Amino acid sequence: MGWSLAVALAQSWRAPLNFWGVLACMAGICAAYAWDGLLDAPPGGYRWGWRHTHFAVSGTALFAAILFHRQLLLPVLGLGALGFLYIPLKRHIPKNLLTAAAWTAAAIFLPFDGVTLTAAMLGAAGAIFLLIYAAAVLCDVPDVAEDRSAGVCGLAPKFGETRAAKIAALMALASAALAAASGVWMLTVPALIFAVLGFFSVGWLARASVSRFAVDALLVLPGVLVLLNLSSG
């Protein structure tokens, strides 16, 4: 999913992507999710499973990216520290805020060399931040009871499924507006779909076992739209 945001930004900014930076963005996001899953897993002794494999493969790819492109070291270290602190922090800081901030930083600073932020780029960063925040809140809708029992800080545990989904929908609309104003039109498509889901499909989000995967899959749309646009051109 990280590659999708990077490709959308590159198309809009007309800026070249760095292969190793894109790899670091993708591997870092995968490693962070795997690490979160490992630490949240119920205790039961050490057994090697798919999450361990996921983390090992992602970590190896991230290390390779840094090895071949040393400029990635400092931003990856900063994002890595946030990833390792995510579990304790999410009991005091809304976890969706942490996720959105990390994703936004990864998509902007890892795939591009020497980014100088302009007003349009800041607008695109804001659009990505709100888009990821909305997606993270919608993904949390099925886990409200579990997050409350674990003492996790977030919009869904605090406000409940319906209110949190509507807040996410408003974030998605704001993301769509910022994306359109900043020239990153590809981000408007998943943002508008998130808005519809948040306003009208709370029940489906809460009940359907595939709802979380569907929301995550929508984040691939911007990159797919760019590739389709390039192939048709």
Side-chain angles (χ1 to χ4, degrees):
M1 293 173 283
W3 71 268
S4 175
L5 299 177
V7 167
L9 290 177
Q11 173 72 5
S12 174
W13 296 350
R14 304 200 180 281
L17 287 168
N18 180 285
F19 169 79
W20 297 111
V22 175
L23 178 62
C25 181
M26 295 168 58
I29 289 172
C30 288
Y33 273 99
W35 178 253
D36 181 37
L38 286 172
L39 293 185
D40 271 350
Y46 180 84
R47 289 183 301 174
W48 187 273
W50 71 269
R51 292 188 187 277
H52 299 86
T53 304
H54 185 188
F55 183 72
V57 172
S58 301
T60 301
L62 185 58
F63 178 77
I66 296 171
L67 188 64
F68 284 97
H69 195 60
R70 302 294 177 84
Q71 293 91 325
L72 294 169
L73 180 59
L74 287 179
V76 167
L77 285 176
L79 289 167
L82 180 59
F84 278 103
L85 292 172
Y86 176 74
I87 295 295
L89 284 177
K90 72 179 184 179
R91 290 175 174 80
H92 308 284
I93 301 173
K95 68 173 186 176
N96 315 123
L97 176 63
L98 297 170
T99 302
W103 270 62
T104 303
I108 289 176
F109 293 111
L110 295 182
F112 303 94
D113 290 329
V115 172
T116 301
L117 292 178
T118 63
M121 289 181 175
L122 289 173
I128 289 177
F129 176 81
L130 290 169
L131 180 69
I132 300 302
Y133 208 137
V137 172
L138 293 177
C139 284
D140 280 348
V141 167
D143 300 327
V144 172
E146 181 180 338
D147 283 345
R148 280 175 175 165
S149 64
V152 172
C153 183
L155 292 181
K158 182 176 179 60
F159 296 108
E161 299 168 357
T162 303
R163 288 184 180 178
K166 284 180 168 50
I167 294 172
L170 292 174
M171 288 182 182
L173 289 177
S175 173
L178 266 177
S182 304
V184 197
W185 64 268
M186 311 79 151
L187 299 179
T188 63
V189 179
L192 292 175
I193 297 175
F194 287 161
V196 171
L197 290 175
F199 281 126
F200 304 109
S201 302
V202 181
W204 177 78
L205 289 168
R207 292 190 305 271
S209 59
V210 298
S211 63
R212 182 183 293 105
F213 300 102
V215 170
D216 281 342
L218 286 170
L219 293 174
V220 179
L221 267 180
V224 173
L225 291 174
V226 171
L227 296 178
L228 290 174
N229 185 51
L230 292 175
S231 64
S232 64

